[in-house]
Amino acid sequence: MRVIDVTLMMDQTRGENEATQGSLTMARLIARAQAGDRQAFDRMMIEHQNRVVSLAWRLLGNREDALDAAQESFMRVYRHLHKYDPSYEFSAWLYRIVVNVCRDQARKRSRIDTSSLDEAFESGRLNEPVSSDKTESAAILAQERKLLAKALLTLTEKERQAIVLRDLEGLATGEVAELLGSSPTTVRSQISSARSKIRAFRARFLT
Amino acid sequence: MKCPQIEKLLPLYVGDDLPADQMESVRTHLADCTQCFEMAAGFSESRSWFREAAIPSFDEADLANMRASVHQRIAEEHEIPGLLDRIFASLSLRPVFVAAAAAIILLGAVLYGLRSVDKPPNQVKPDIAREAEIRDGNEVIDPTGRKTPQTAGRDKPRRIRRKAVKTRSDLIARTDPLPLETKQEPSEQLRIELQTSDPNIRIIWLARK
């Protein structure tokens, strides 16, 4: 039992060290990118691209829009990198940019009427991210994602942002509130409403 | 708490988003209420489904294209020239030509200015008709000796204003033997007008009869 404890402690310490080293590396990368190093900026993009694209897809529910939003987000990062204060967490700063870009994009884009969702699916406007792997499980997953995109469209913009950041990105309610410029009470209300709608959607289409 | 109250809290309960005391109250209620327990299970399942299905997978090629587009846009932004360069580019003009045109315009303006300075004045006021207004108390005496009452600037200090610029001899020398016009003024005044060689200059002499 004691041996297990020691092993766990060692693993924990190693994990913390790796996390610290990772953040230090990222801080150095950001500093170099701020100094105009394009390679460092590219490395930074590689480090964050999956999270950025995922968040954009979750907020917009569309593959092409998500890639466009990710591109625009990194452009904004590049333009405003000199304003970034290293004493704050970079990922939080980046999240804020992505959320703002997605919000702008959603407003520019003509809003898809929920009553014509089926038409949207038929016309291919609501493409889900698809893997090149065409196995049966991938097809099922793709179907699940289609339904999820459909479920997300039943939410209001605020509800979608709140639940994506809370349930999918794993941010605390306070962090979500700060990111969205709202109060924790409002965010809780939006999360509650979104979870109820998703449950109702799932009960209707999947059970 | 009763079931309707618990049902309202369940969406937040499944995400551990309630304060500790409310979490405990819901937990206690669920231990005894099968209906609410099943509802809570439904919320948990849908939340799990939502989280699992919402993991997108983008091809590396898509991400590489996205990064390449970002780099391209950055390069384009760096290549954006200054305002003047953009104007030259849009007009297909070379800066040297534009500078030469500007120099020619400037030179022309300077020459025109110099020519204007050399030009004699258009009008010469004769001394003979000097229009000195001699303010004397409340009256102004004009060159004919008439006294006219002052109407404005009564409180201003006394002053003598002269407009004559040429001497009598100068004017006589310039004056050609052009027809002399003599007009009889209706108000017992003699008006003599002399046209000089300069068409812009006419000498008008007003005198009492």
Side-chain angles (χ1 to χ4, degrees):
Chain A
M1 188 70 180
R2 191 173 292 168
V3 174
I4 293 168
D5 282 349
V6 170
T7 313
L8 279 172
M9 280 176 66
M10 283 174 67
D11 284 347
Q12 196 176 349
T13 313
R14 197 181 302 147
E16 283 172 3
N17 284 342
E18 281 172 3
T20 312
Q21 278 194 340
S23 61
L24 274 175
T25 310
M26 184 52 64
R28 271 192 223 115
L29 215 55
I30 302 295
R32 279 171 52 195
Q34 279 180 319
D37 186 339
R38 296 266 189 94
Q39 281 190 335
F41 185 76
D42 192 53
R43 279 282 309 281
M44 185 277 294
M45 277 204 291
I46 292 169
E47 291 288 328
H48 290 95
Q49 62 185 7
N50 282 319
R51 293 181 75 179
V52 168
V53 173
S54 299
L55 177 58
W57 179 77
R58 286 161 175 170
L59 290 173
L60 297 169
N62 181 303
R63 175 189 171 80
E64 297 305 321
D65 286 350
L67 286 167
D68 286 349
Q71 190 188 123
E72 181 58 31
S73 300
F74 281 122
M75 279 306 295
R76 286 196 195 179
V77 168
Y78 180 80
R79 287 187 196 122
H80 301 286
L81 199 56
H82 63 282
K83 292 180 190 168
Y84 167 68
D85 182 356
S87 60
Y88 292 96
E89 199 181 343
F90 181 74
S91 59
W93 187 70
L94 181 60
Y95 266 33
R96 192 185 294 272
I97 288 174
V98 178
V99 169
N100 287 338
V101 167
C102 290
R103 192 184 294 164
D104 293 348
Q105 201 156 324
R107 282 175 189 166
K108 278 182 197 167
R109 186 180 62 182
S110 57
R111 293 189 67 82
I112 299 165
D113 187 357
T114 47
S115 62
S116 62
L117 270 173
D118 291 333
E119 290 171 26
F121 272 104
E122 290 300 319
S123 65
R125 272 186 289 160
L126 294 178
N127 294 326
E128 78 292 349
V130 284
S131 163
S132 54
D133 187 7
K134 296 289 180 188
T135 60
E136 192 180 347
S137 61
I140 292 168
L141 195 60
Q143 188 62 29
E144 292 270 304
R145 284 180 189 143
K146 262 188 180 180
L147 279 168
L148 179 85
K150 203 171 179 177
L152 281 169
L153 284 171
T154 65
L155 310 178
T156 65
E157 188 186 346
K158 296 273 183 189
E159 288 170 349
R160 194 182 316 147
Q161 287 172 352
I163 198 158
V164 163
L165 292 170
R166 175 73 187 96
D167 280 1
L168 303 181
E169 302 298 331
L171 302 185
T173 310
E175 289 174 318
V176 176
E178 196 184 340
L179 205 63
L180 299 179
S182 190
S183 70
T185 311
T186 307
V187 167
R188 259 186 226 107
S189 167
Q190 288 161 349
I191 289 169
S192 175
S193 174
R195 283 178 186 155
S196 297
K197 284 182 183 177
I198 288 169
R199 179 177 169 270
F201 179 89
R202 186 172 174 273
R204 186 178 162 199
F205 288 100
L206 288 177
T207 55
Chain B
M1 277 197 273
K2 293 181 179 178
C3 290
Q5 290 173 298
I6 295 294
E7 283 171 15
K8 284 181 185 174
L9 296 176
L10 283 178
L12 294 175
Y13 172 79
V14 295
D16 202 11
D17 291 313
L18 290 172
D21 56 334
Q22 285 187 333
M23 286 294 289
E24 188 55 38
S25 300
V26 174
R27 199 174 292 124
T28 308
H29 180 90
L30 292 181
D32 296 332
C33 180
T34 315
Q35 193 183 343
C36 288
F37 181 82
E38 284 176 2
M39 192 179 278
F43 270 110
S44 290
E45 280 173 19
S46 74
R47 187 165 179 261
S48 300
W49 167 77
F50 180 65
R51 296 176 76 169
E52 284 166 15
I55 302 169
S57 64
F58 283 84
D59 291 338
E60 181 52 39
D62 290 331
L63 298 173
N65 282 339
M66 185 270 295
R67 289 202 313 276
S69 300
V70 171
H71 282 298
Q72 191 181 344
R73 285 177 64 184
I74 289 171
E76 283 170 3
E77 283 196 2
H78 276 279
E79 284 169 9
I80 290 175
L83 183 64
L84 278 174
D85 291 341
R86 271 184 281 176
I87 291 168
F88 293 142
S90 64
L91 297 175
S92 302
L93 293 172
R94 287 188 177 182
V96 67
F97 292 148
V98 175
I104 288 168
I105 292 167
L106 190 66
L107 189 66
V110 169
L111 287 174
Y112 180 79
L114 287 173
R115 202 178 157 201
S116 301
V117 168
D118 292 341
K119 221 175 180 180
N122 285 337
Q123 287 193 333
V124 178
K125 299 281 182 184
D127 186 41
I128 195 166
R130 64 187 182 199
E131 297 164 4
E133 290 177 9
I134 304 162
R135 292 165 191 256
D136 184 17
N138 292 334
E139 291 179 330
V140 174
I141 303 168
D142 66 12
T144 62
R146 279 186 306 173
K147 290 182 179 179
T148 53
Q150 264 189 318
T151 53
R154 193 64 64 188
D155 51 346
K156 286 181 182 174
R158 290 163 63 103
R159 66 195 173 106
I160 295 171
R161 194 172 63 192
R162 287 177 180 270
K163 287 188 178 176
V165 289
K166 295 273 184 182
T167 61
R168 182 189 291 264
S169 58
D170 290 341
L171 284 164
I172 290 168
R174 283 179 177 227
T175 304
D176 291 335
L178 291 171
L180 185 103
E181 291 176 30
T182 307
K183 287 182 183 176
Q184 190 72 30
E185 290 293 315
S187 58
E188 296 185 353
Q189 279 186 358
L190 189 67
R191 180 188 175 94
I192 301 169
E193 290 186 12
L194 290 170
Q195 179 63 54
T196 64
S197 60
D198 190 338
N200 293 319
I201 300 172
R202 174 173 285 195
I203 300 167
I204 301 170
W205 192 349
L206 297 173
R208 278 186 182 171
K209 267 187 176 178

